[in-house]
Structures are given as C-alpha cells and as structure tokens.
Amino acid sequence: MERRNVGILGATGMVGQRFIQLLAQHPWFEITWIAASDRSAGKTYAEACRWKLDTPLPPRIAAMTLQPNVPEGSAVELPKIIFAALDADIARELEPKFAAVGCAVISNSSAFRMTTDVPLVVPEVNADHLPLIEHQSWRKENGGKGGYIVTNPNCSAIGLVLALKPLEEKFGIESLFVSTMQAVSGAGYPGVASLDILGNVVPFIKNEEEKMQEEVVKLLGAAKGDHVEMLDARLTAHCNRVAVEDGHTECISIKLRKPATFDEIVAAWEGFKPLEGQHLPSAPDSPVEYDHAVDRPQPRLDRMRGKGMTTVVGRLRPCSLLDWKFVLLSHNTIRGAAGAAILNAEVLARLGKFETKKKVLA
Amino acid sequence: MERRNVGILGATGMVGQRFIQLLAQHPWFEITWIAASDRSAGKTYAEACRWKLDTPLPPRIAAMTLQPNVPEGSAVELPKIIFAALDADIARELEPKFAAVGCAVISNSSAFRMTTDVPLVVPEVNADHLPLIEHQSWRKENGGKGGYIVTNPNCSAIGLVLALKPLEEKFGIESLFVSTMQAVSGAGYPGVASLDILGNVVPFIKNEEEKMQEEVVKLLGAAKGDHVEMLDARLTAHCNRVAVEDGHTECISIKLRKPATFDEIVAAWEGFKPLEGQHLPSAPDSPVEYDHAVDRPQPRLDRMRGKGMTTVVGRLRPCSLLDWKFVLLSHNTIRGAAGAAILNAEVLARLGKFETKKKVLA
Amino acid sequence: MERRNVGILGATGMVGQRFIQLLAQHPWFEITWIAASDRSAGKTYAEACRWKLDTPLPPRIAAMTLQPNVPEGSAVELPKIIFAALDADIARELEPKFAAVGCAVISNSSAFRMTTDVPLVVPEVNADHLPLIEHQSWRKENGGKGGYIVTNPNCSAIGLVLALKPLEEKFGIESLFVSTMQAVSGAGYPGVASLDILGNVVPFIKNEEEKMQEEVVKLLGAAKGDHVEMLDARLTAHCNRVAVEDGHTECISIKLRKPATFDEIVAAWEGFKPLEGQHLPSAPDSPVEYDHAVDRPQPRLDRMRGKGMTTVVGRLRPCSLLDWKFVLLSHNTIRGAAGAAILNAEVLARLGKFETKKKVLA
Amino acid sequence: MERRNVGILGATGMVGQRFIQLLAQHPWFEITWIAASDRSAGKTYAEACRWKLDTPLPPRIAAMTLQPNVPEGSAVELPKIIFAALDADIARELEPKFAAVGCAVISNSSAFRMTTDVPLVVPEVNADHLPLIEHQSWRKENGGKGGYIVTNPNCSAIGLVLALKPLEEKFGIESLFVSTMQAVSGAGYPGVASLDILGNVVPFIKNEEEKMQEEVVKLLGAAKGDHVEMLDARLTAHCNRVAVEDGHTECISIKLRKPATFDEIVAAWEGFKPLEGQHLPSAPDSPVEYDHAVDRPQPRLDRMRGKGMTTVVGRLRPCSLLDWKFVLLSHNTIRGAAGAAILNAEVLARLGKFETKKKVLA
C-alpha cells in the first residue's frame, strides 16, 4: 500500500516532536511537509528544533526545511492531511485556512473542540461522531472541495474517557470527581519552570479543569445529525502539576446509574476492545488495562503500556461518598496528544475520509 | 519560669528529629531523656542518628546517651512528660507502659488514636476532648498516680481538620472528597525509595485513606463524658505520594449543610483564632491562612508559614458536584507530627495536666 | 544608628528577590527605591513580581512602586547605594549611568567583573582590592562627585574562592580541577525548563567555566595600585546543572606549592576568620566549615549554614593525580549572589566609602 | 540455532531484573533457572520480585519458581551458563561454588574483578583478556570439568573505558581526572532513600572511586599469560549520586602521550568499531558516539542510544590543566551491568567457551 503524504503544523514543539517520532516509521503516512512559526520557517528542522525526546531525531526529518505555517507559498506540495500541534490562539486562526483549501486538519488543539459541528473524538469512544464533519462550512469552500477539522481531547480527558466509556455503556454514569497529577510535558517546552516543580506541586493549570469538565460529556454524548447531545452527568475536576516528565495520573470517585460489582467493572474494562479487527497501526490491543497490584498504575512504570496508547486503571475500591474509587494513568503526549491525533487519522483513512470529496460523498 | 523535663521515645527517626529540633530552644520544655530501640540504646545521639534536617544537630543533644525504650533502667531520671514518635506496632506495646508508671504520653502514633477514651486532639479544633484522659484505666495504676495518653492525628488529617473546623462551626459539613499529594518525609527514613518516586507518583499509602476517614470525624465530633460522638459527615480520601520533601497538598470538594458564599467561607477561615490570647509558644498567629493567588498554596513555598504550623488554603471555587472546591497545604512533620504533639503538650501544661494527679483532680 | 537608604536594580528577578528578603530586616540598610524593566515600572512590587521564596514577601515592599531603571525620573529620591541584580547585557549599559551620577553600585552582574579597575571582591578573601574604586573614571564625573562599581563573583566561584583562600595563604596553590553540580536557581526564573532537568543532568552552562577560571585568579590575585595581578595558578572547570533548587556542590582536586597534611589543611579552613571582630551583620561566624562526615556536604542539608553565607567543605582525601581532593558546597543565591553583594556593602560602609566623596578622600 | 540454557543468580534485584528484561527475547540464550536468596526460594518470580522496569514482566518468567542460590538441590537442571547479579559479599561466597561444579559464571559483581586470573572484560576493549580463565583453579575441579568466572567492570568504569580505549590506542593516556554524576538505579532497590536525593546531591558512593581507579587500568592493561599488566596511567575519580533514575554522566580531563587535535580525537571515537562483523546480538553498531551539540550528552535523552549499550561523548574542548576535557554518558544498568555481562557471554559463545571443557581444550 502506498503511504499518504501528511504535513505537521507546529512541528517543533513538544507535541510536534511526538508527531515526528510516531510518524517516522508509520506504515500509512509519510511526512512530506512540516511547518513552524515565521521565526523558524526556512530553517531545517534540525536547526530550528530543540529535540527533547529520547529517541534520535530521524535524519530525513532533520534535513527537511520548515515551511511557513500558511496553506500558500510552500516550496513543497501541501499534503491533504495536516496534523496540527498549535497553541489554541494560533490554531483558531490557522486551522480554518487549511480546512478551507481542502485539507483534513487533524488537530490536537483546544480551539475548536467544543464547536458544535467539529467532532471531538477518541476512536474507541465515539468514532461515530466523525460524520459531523460533513456539516462543517469549510466543506463548501474551495469550490466544494473544502476540507474539515477533527479534534482530539485534552491530554487529561483522553485517559479518563477511555476508562469511563465501558462504564457508561454497561452501567451508566451519574457523577464523578477527578483529581489529577499531571506531567510537565503537558505544558510544552520550555513550559513549566524547574523552580516551580522541583520538590513541589502546582495545584493549578490554566483552563484545564474547565476543559476536562466540558470535553468528557461531549465525548460520551450522542451524535445527532449536526451536533452532539452532551451526556447527562456531573463531573468536577481538580488539576495539579507534579514533578513527572510524562504520564498523567488521576484519582476518580464515581457514581453509576446501575449497581456494579468489582468483578463486573473490571470485566467491563478488560472486555472493552471496540477497534478489534480494524488493524489500525496505532491502536493498542487493549485500550484499557486493569492492574491488580495494590500500588499501580504509576507513571514511570506504566505510561508506555500499549506503546503509550493504553490507559491503565487500578486500585478499584468502594467509595464512602459515591460508589467506587479508582486510579488511572495515561501517557499525555502519546495517547494524550500526538498518538490520539494519529489514531483519529487512521480511522478517517479506514472510513475513506481522505479520498477526494467527490468520491467520498458519491 | 522553670522548664519542665521531657523525654522523647523514638528520638532518632524523622519525627524524633523534628522533636529534637523544635524542642531544642523551647521555653517551657527541656529534653532530659531520649530513647531509641535496643540497637541504639547506650550510644550517643550523634552516633545513633543520621540527622536529616537542614538545621544543625544541637550539640547538647548530640552528646546525650540514648536510653532503653522502657520506663525502667534509665541512667537518668524518667521525665513525667514523654513525647512518643514510635511506629504503631511498637507504640501499642510501649506507650501504655509509660502511662502506667505515671507519664503523660504525648503520642504521634496511630496506635491509640481511635481508642474510645484516648483524646485525639488538635488544640485549635477540639481541646475540649482532653478531659477524656481522666477516664483512662492507666490513671488508676501506679497506686492512683498513673498517667495518660494523648494523641494527635495523622499528618494528612491535621491540616484538613484545621481547614474544616471553622466551616463546621459556621455552616456544618455534610460530605467531602479529598485527594492528597503527600511528601516523602511522611514515610520516615529511609522510607520511600528514590526509584519509586523520582519522576513518579505512587497512588497508594498503606492505611492512609482509612486513617483520614476515621480520624476527621472523631476530631470534629463531640466529647460526651468518656467517649466522643463522631461527626455525622461522609468523607472519602484518595492518598498519593509525590516527589516532594515536606508538605502535604490536598484537593477538597465539600458539601455544606447551610449555603455559604465565597466571602463567608474566607471570613470563617481568617477569623478562626481559637487559641488567641493563650500565648502558647508553638501556636501560630493564624492556624488557617487563605492565599488569594491563583496557583497557591504550594509545598515548597508555603509549608513554613507560621513556622510550619499554619494550614494554607487557596483556590476556593464552586464545585459542580458538591458546593465548593479548594486546595490546602500543611507541613507534615511539623504541624503534621512533632509540632502537633508539642502544641498538645503546651495546652496540657496550661490546663495543669502535668501537675501531680492529686493536685489536678482536687 | 540610622539606616542608610538603598535601592535595588532588577528587583523582581530571583537575585532581586533575595536582596529584598535579606535586606528586609537589615540593621544598616533600608530599601527606599526599587526598579525594574520598563515593562514593570509603575506597578507595585506585588503586581510585577512572581515571588518565589519560601518566606513571605514583606508587606512594605509589596506596596512599593517600581521605578524606571535609570538614574533620572524617579518619583522617589535616588539612594546613594544601589544593589544591582541585572543581566550582564543590561548591567553593561545601566550600571555606569548610576555610577556616573554618584551612586555606589554594588553589582552582582558579570559585566564589569574583569574590568581592570573594578574590584571583584569577596570580603573574607580580598577586601584589600576595594581601593581600586578610586581609580575608576566614574569617580571624576558629576562634578567630581561620581560614584563607583564594586562587583562580586559568579555564584560558582564564590564558594570555591573561600575554600581556596586559606590554602593559598598557608601552602600556595599551583593548579586545580573543579567539577560543579549547580542548582537551577542560578539560572534565574523561569530559567531552566523542568523538561531539561527532571531526572536529568545538563553538562553545560553558558560561559560558566570561563567565568570560574578567570574570576578565581583575579580574586586570589594582588591589588597593585590601579589593577590586580592575577594569581599564577592553573584552573580547569567542568560545570553542570543538576536537579537541585539551591546550593552549588563542587568536586575539587588541588596541587599545592608546599606539602600539607590533612590536619594542616583542615586547620587552615577552621582557622580562617578574617572578618572576626568587625561585626558585619551578614558575615558568618565561620566563612568555611569542615564537616567530617563521610558523605557531606550536601546541598539540601548544608546550604543554610551560617544563614547561607558559609562554605562547607568535606571529604578531604589524597588525590592520585594532584595532591588532595575535597567537596564543597555554597548557597548560590545567598553567598553566591545577593548575600555576597550585601556583605560587600557592609565592608564599604565600615570603610566609610558611603560618605560623600569629599569626606572620604579628605 | 538452538538457544543455550542460562541461569540467573540474584534474579530479583535491579540488575537481575535487567537480565530478565534483556534476555527475555535473546536469540542465543534462554532463561531456564533463576535463583534468589533463601527468603525467596520456592516462590514464583512474580511473588518474590517487585518489578521496577517500565516494560512488562514477561509472563513465562513471572511463573517460574525461584531456586535456592546454590548449585545443588534445584528442582530444574542447573544450566552451564550462570549470570550473576549478586552483592559482592555474597558473590565472593557463591560464585566459586558454581564455577567449581562446571558453570561459566558471568558475573556483574565486584568480588573477583581484581583477582589476578579473573578476566575483567568489556568486549570492545579487552576481549583478549578472556584466555585468563584457563588459568583459574576452578577449571581443575569437578574432575577436570570445572568452570570459570568472567567479570565486567563497575557501572561507572564501563562507559569511561569505552571512551578511553580508542584514545589509548591512538594517542596513549598519561593521566585523567573524572568526576561522576551517577543515577540512583546503580544502588539497587530500595537503595538510595528519596529523602537523600530529592533536591540533593550525595557526594559519596562507598568504594566507587577506588573501583574506578583500579578497574580502568586493568581493563586497559595487557594480558600476559596468567595475569594482566596494568596500564601505566594515573587516574583520579570523584563520585557523586544525583537525582537521575538511569544513566551515569562523567566529566573528564585527560592528558595524552601524543598530541591530538579535536578532529583526530573525534575520529578515533567514531572509527572505534572493534566488534564489527561479529554479529553479536547485544553489541551496538557504535560503542562510542560523539554528539556535537553544545549541551549533550544528557542522561534522560541519550542513555538509550544503541539500546542502552552505546557510550555517548560530547563537549570535547581544550583543558587548561591537562590536554582535553569532555563529557560522557553511559546507561548504568544496561551497558553498565546486565547488558555488559550478556555481551561478555555472547563473546564467550563465539569463542566456543561454552562447549564442554574437553572440546574446548582439545
């Protein structure tokens, strides 16, 4: 099978680097276009980027020239698939431009996540929200050959919603508390100052609690034509930054709509394999794994399960206030960002959403 | 005023070292007796102890000889006041022996905290529970000259109960959720292995959630003659260990019995000064301080407020599930252990509970 | 005694904050003027500064208004003594302006440290270099009432030169290796990104090795009229950043000109008290302390000795290549920056160098 | 090719776990026997081991039963190849017993490293020392079918000697200074207490400086029949523990016997490929890589190069005292321990040293 060309917006940041790393050997996609801010455009990737991952920067990418981050004026052909790792303010301005000229924009930004006709998707949870794209106004631009925007959730919401989905399906969710301990890589580079986090906790991440609270109910909601009906559940989030490089840990108390035993809940998690048989390159065998050890999951030990795409849950025990308590862990820059977007793209490829519009809608 | 002689059981551990540090210059108490396990007895303190605090080991203490940790056989006279920093299993065996021979045992251990007639006390919260000691059977031993045991709560419960007490008084507490991020010093030395906590979170501390849940309702309960009526409130705790040296951070959601505004809650905290006018050496001017900064409290920056005896609260904001959310911070080995016990002793001194039994009861 | 008015340039940075903290209760100096960059001028200190120290921001300073960082146009009178905590580029431009109008500029910057007629001083080491100021051209400006600039060394050089001075005096120094492990606070705020230092070492600090190598031989050199003759010794430095908040640790191998025993070296350090009897508020009782423990000094435990002004040395042992090896530790933002400048100012005050020029030179 | 059976002594410790991890998929060796202390013998590996690596414990090993750590009494057949990850005291007692009954003991312990007829080997450096085994007295035991002991160096010496070997070959080494910043995993589990290393440096590792100093000159020495002539070079080491999970960083100053330029030294490192063409499964393509970035190598980013078997060097620059300075990094539990031993075993397999003695010596 021929690999499709893809581009990366915001290629030099922390999430951009993860895109490079995860796509370097991808069987379906080939990076042919990378862009960064005006300051970096024209430089090679190696010159412009402070590579912060623990695998080597792929030499082919190192030598590529960064393009301006607009749809026009590239020295190389603009691919039809654009992965976007931009700050929200920039994404709000740039992503629509790429969609308007016909690109499928697979975005990790928060800019359009809550927009009515933009799907906010984690494939195992709500791939059925993807048809929302056909309602996007960008579709009609470019002489009817316009593209679309698909988003994935905030890094702290992805792991959570994976653990919640099988519970919602089997028992229904009424309400939940979640308290997070989030890794510094979630804030990008340079991001969190070392003086703020060495031997410390910062009990505040701007807008993070709001994002978790609103994104989870959209993700677990039902797509109804051109919009999503939010799940009727109440969620309260406490978000904290801790001295961990990668991997968000979350403590949850949950009230279910139907009674459930320990065994039934664990079985719901272990039986949750909605993508099985689709052979998507980035989909883990198990999106959710339960660990029976008394003190797991832990970020340093468990974040790379399923190549960083598996949510690990543990410590399921009764809650004296709601029904049950548990702990979960999810890799924040793989499953929580670049890997999430790539998995979205793989699903779109399977659905034929990367063909020309004519073919798709025919 | 003459200083009273005091002893320290478990003097070489982390909490024992804090006792040494905090009592070294104490205006009311003078350390005349220190004890440690059989292995260390007979050595000088300097020989037996790996001093881990960032102030120098006081030379007078360094030269003192460790006594066996039993009431008999000391080369120096056993003081009537014993601070105990023992593991629960050892405390369960040793503390009663000291009480039986007439000592006031001011214990930091969990061994007897939930025993019916043992007061579990934070002076600003429930000094009125102290009369429970008169019901203790140890009182009757030693020819009617027996002593007693007074305990302080777990390090994670003390900061919390200080923040809760004014809310209980003004508005009543119906239920709460608390998720902790606890410092490694809470586990003693060597305690937490560095391989377990560098770049990591351990979402489990043995028995900690149970202790928080049961101790808080006893502390906020009402002393009724020979026992305490527990507060009728529901509490659920999630306890985690993070890479912080000192200072426990806690995220709380709370449901009150009466509606309260932001200003009323902050006023309740700021107006909470139950020990004012008593001039206890270790009592902070403000047991609870509210910090209006958006990202505080933080352990590295705020743990030493009030010389480590003040609970700092911040980020009060509405909770979408219960009523309010906030963050609190408390120094775990000062207010949460040695300082708590010393403050208990100061109250007992003020109450005349260190005089001979005859005088006290007359 | 009346306190002299002082000002602080660069008051909001990490070193500026240390100046605020250390001068807040200073018996000789009173902060009456604080300045920061144009962006902050006009704001109160509390508004402009992200206070990162673990003692509270003094309320009087919090309410002070930041002045523009030029000698003119202040709403309050410009003091004659200016502590400067500026980046080198800015210092190079601004400090001479303040000297020209008559201020004594006590600088922590590297801008003029190696300038021929600018004294680079650690009082215990080379207070006799201070008369260099009389040769500075700024002295002649302002109608003959010009001021001067006095500097203190780089944070990594100060601790080292304190340990070396008594060895140079007693035995002579021929050559030395030094390998540092430096705290992140040395890079200011935000400074080192957490992703660069959590679980990591960065074996590079820009210009740091060069500064150590050139400053040490000036500090240990001899003032000859209008210049300093450098010490004839060879020094090679390896500088590293580690995950420590405060306190630089340094490993040293040294070759002496005369043979010296373990006891003689330790005696040289312990007997080194050149400021004794001068009663300078910031001078520690012992500028150098030797710790006989096998694994000390350590930054977390020893950086606050002498209120952060004492260099702690330890592990003196034979070197198989040069003569002796040892370890030293020094607090990098107290002794290594703000405290160093304040001690310089105290010496200048004792020497009468803060009186009007006429009186001084008469 | 059939895989050879191998056993692991000390299988549950940190190095033992690395053996399990690295051998789990090894093409030449198959773990058929694992042993641990008496306390653990009889339990399954999963029961006895607190698995601390970030890849899952292989299920086949998890279910294996731990044997007593003696050559007799195993429920399963004792393999002829034994990897040993024991503390030195225990190794001194146990390893000879296994050698005596005919096992090839591939040891990571320090117990016999400096023993005259025991080869201390890093294959790229001194595989020609391996014939020393034929002089070992254990060879003659067991009716002439005795085994032997082969050792690998201390974790801090391996990376260093790899960087030194090409310099010794091309230019000769006269003397060097090395200062280390070592990871906590080097101390095993629980090893370093978190209170000792969070925000701290411990400038002392017991016996480490001595080991580095003596092992390097043996490794770079020449095998002469039944012993090794040590390299005539002087080495001084300063060893420190820092808050890094894995990866030892070392700062080196070196004096060469012949002048060498920057380019010649880098060329020596890059051209150093002594095992090329041997197709050993654990040998990296490049045992030494030079990184031209100004601030590399760094442990978090570079320790996994060559699957943890490559030494990364960087920052080559002139030394004002000796000739050159540089920084190196090596993974301490892979190249520095288990991987080193496995590579030794691979070389022994290639040399036919795992065949029965008769065949080998015939």
Side-chain angles (χ1 to χ4, degrees), chain A residues 14 50 52 184-185 188-200 242-246, chain C residues 14 50 52 184-185 188-200 242-246:
Chain A
M14 283 312 295
R50 298 193 62 180
K52 291 289 167 189
V184 295
S185 58
Y189 183 85
V192 180
S194 53
L195 276 172
D196 283 333
I197 209 68
L198 282 175
N200 205 19
V242 294
V244 167
E245 292 95 321
D246 290 305
Chain C
M14 284 309 296
R50 297 192 63 179
K52 292 288 167 187
V184 296
S185 58
Y189 183 85
V192 181
S194 54
L195 276 172
D196 282 334
I197 209 68
L198 282 175
N200 206 18
V242 293
V244 166
E245 292 94 322
D246 290 307

Side-chain angles (χ1 to χ4, degrees), chain C residues 27 30 45 77-78 89 97 111 116 120 128 134 147-148 171 202 207 219 248 254 285 291 299 313 342 361:
Chain C
E30 177 161 353
Y45 189 79
E77 194 187 0
L78 185 69
D89 287 346
K97 294 184 183 175
T116 306
L120 173 65
D128 60 332
E134 302 303 346
Y148 54 84
F171 318 110
V202 180
N207 298 331
L219 285 153
H248 289 354
I254 191 164
D285 290 341
D291 192 312
V313 286
I342 293 169
L361 296 185

Side-chain angles (χ1 to χ4, degrees), chain D residues 334-357:
Chain D
I334 299 181
R335 173 54 97 160
I342 294 169
L343 189 56
N344 277 349
E346 291 170 5
V347 172
L348 289 165
R350 272 273 180 267
L351 294 173
K353 296 294 185 187
F354 291 150
E355 315 312 325
T356 64
K357 196 181 171 185

Side-chain angles (χ1 to χ4, degrees), chain B residues 104 119 303:
Chain B
R303 63 189 165 214

Side-chain angles (χ1 to χ4, degrees), chain C residues 71-153:
Chain C
E72 315 83 31
S74 279
V76 297
E77 194 187 0
L78 185 69
K80 288 292 177 191
I81 305 170
I82 298 290
F83 291 101
L86 300 167
D87 285 344
D89 287 346
I90 301 169
R92 199 166 289 118
E93 182 199 339
L94 294 183
E95 292 181 356
K97 294 184 183 175
F98 284 84
V101 301
C103 294
V105 178
I106 318 297
S107 168
N108 180 56
S109 157
S110 66
F112 298 100
R113 283 182 197 147
M114 299 307 295
T115 301
T116 306
D117 56 11
V118 172
L120 173 65
V121 173
V122 174
E124 292 93 335
V125 172
N126 65 336
D128 60 332
H129 289 201
L130 285 170
L132 278 178
I133 59 173
E134 302 303 346
H135 298 274
Q136 295 180 4
S137 57
W138 300 300
R139 277 310 227 181
K140 298 168 197 148
E141 300 199 34
N142 194 26
K145 292 186 175 170
Y148 54 84
I149 297 176
V150 167
T151 66
N152 59 260

Side-chain angles (χ1 to χ4, degrees), chain A residues 47-312:
Chain A
E47 287 163 355
C49 174
R50 298 193 62 180
W51 185 255
K52 291 289 167 189
L53 299 181
D54 62 1
T55 56
L57 170 57
R60 188 180 73 86
I61 305 294
M64 283 178 69
T65 301
L66 284 159
Q67 306 299 320
N69 56 13
V70 284
E72 314 83 32
S74 279
V76 295
E77 194 187 1
L78 184 69
K80 288 291 178 192
I81 305 171
I82 298 290
F83 291 102
L86 300 167
D87 285 344
D89 286 346
I90 301 169
R92 199 166 289 117
E93 182 200 338
L94 294 183
E95 291 181 356
K97 293 184 184 176
F98 284 84
V101 300
C103 295
V105 178
I106 318 298
S107 168
N108 181 55
S109 157
S110 66
F112 297 101
R113 283 182 198 147
M114 299 307 295
T115 302
T116 306
D117 56 12
V118 172
L120 173 65
V121 172
V122 174
E124 292 93 335
V125 171
N126 64 335
D128 60 331
H129 289 200
L130 285 170
L132 277 178
I133 60 174
E134 303 304 345
H135 298 273
Q136 295 180 4
S137 57
W138 300 300
R139 278 309 227 179
K140 296 168 197 149
E141 300 200 31
N142 193 26
K145 292 186 176 175
Y148 54 84
I149 297 176
V150 167
T151 65
N152 58 261
N154 191 277
C155 51
S156 59
I158 293 182
L160 178 58
V161 81
L162 278 165
L164 294 181
K165 178 66 175 180
L167 306 188
E168 167 61 17
E169 278 181 354
K170 302 275 183 193
F171 318 111
I173 294 171
E174 188 175 317
S175 58
L176 71 151
F177 290 100
V178 56
S179 182
T180 71
M181 292 167 284
Q182 300 183 221
V184 295
S185 58
Y189 183 85
V192 180
S194 53
L195 276 172
D196 283 333
I197 209 68
L198 282 175
N200 205 19
V201 166
V202 180
F204 174 69
I205 303 173
K206 199 174 177 182
N207 297 333
E208 193 82 358
E209 296 174 349
E210 294 78 0
K211 287 180 194 170
M212 285 192 83
Q213 294 177 180
E214 68 188 16
E215 292 179 11
V216 165
V217 292
K218 181 171 181 181
L219 285 153
L220 296 176
K224 304 282 180 178
D226 63 353
H227 71 286
V228 172
E229 258 176 35
M230 305 291 167
L231 179 74
D232 176 25
R234 280 195 303 160
L235 168 64
T236 190
H238 301 247
C239 292
N240 303 284
R241 191 76 71 191
V242 294
V244 167
E245 292 95 321
D246 290 305
H248 289 354
T249 310
E250 308 184 2
C251 294
I252 292 126
S253 280
I254 191 164
K255 184 166 182 55
L256 302 172
R257 294 196 179 274
K258 286 195 289 191
T261 66
F262 177 94
D263 289 344
E264 286 167 346
I265 293 175
V266 171
W269 281 326
E270 295 189 337
F272 179 62
K273 308 204 173 186
L275 299 180
E276 206 164 35
Q278 296 204 28
H279 305 294
L280 305 178
S282 303
D285 291 342
S286 303
V288 182
E289 282 181 17
Y290 186 80
D291 191 312
H292 287 266
V294 72
D295 60 355
R296 302 288 276 269
Q298 296 179 16
R300 199 168 74 80
L301 299 179
D302 296 313
R303 63 189 165 213
M304 287 309 293
R305 293 216 209 169
K307 297 186 180 166
M309 293 294 283
T310 291
T311 288
V312 185

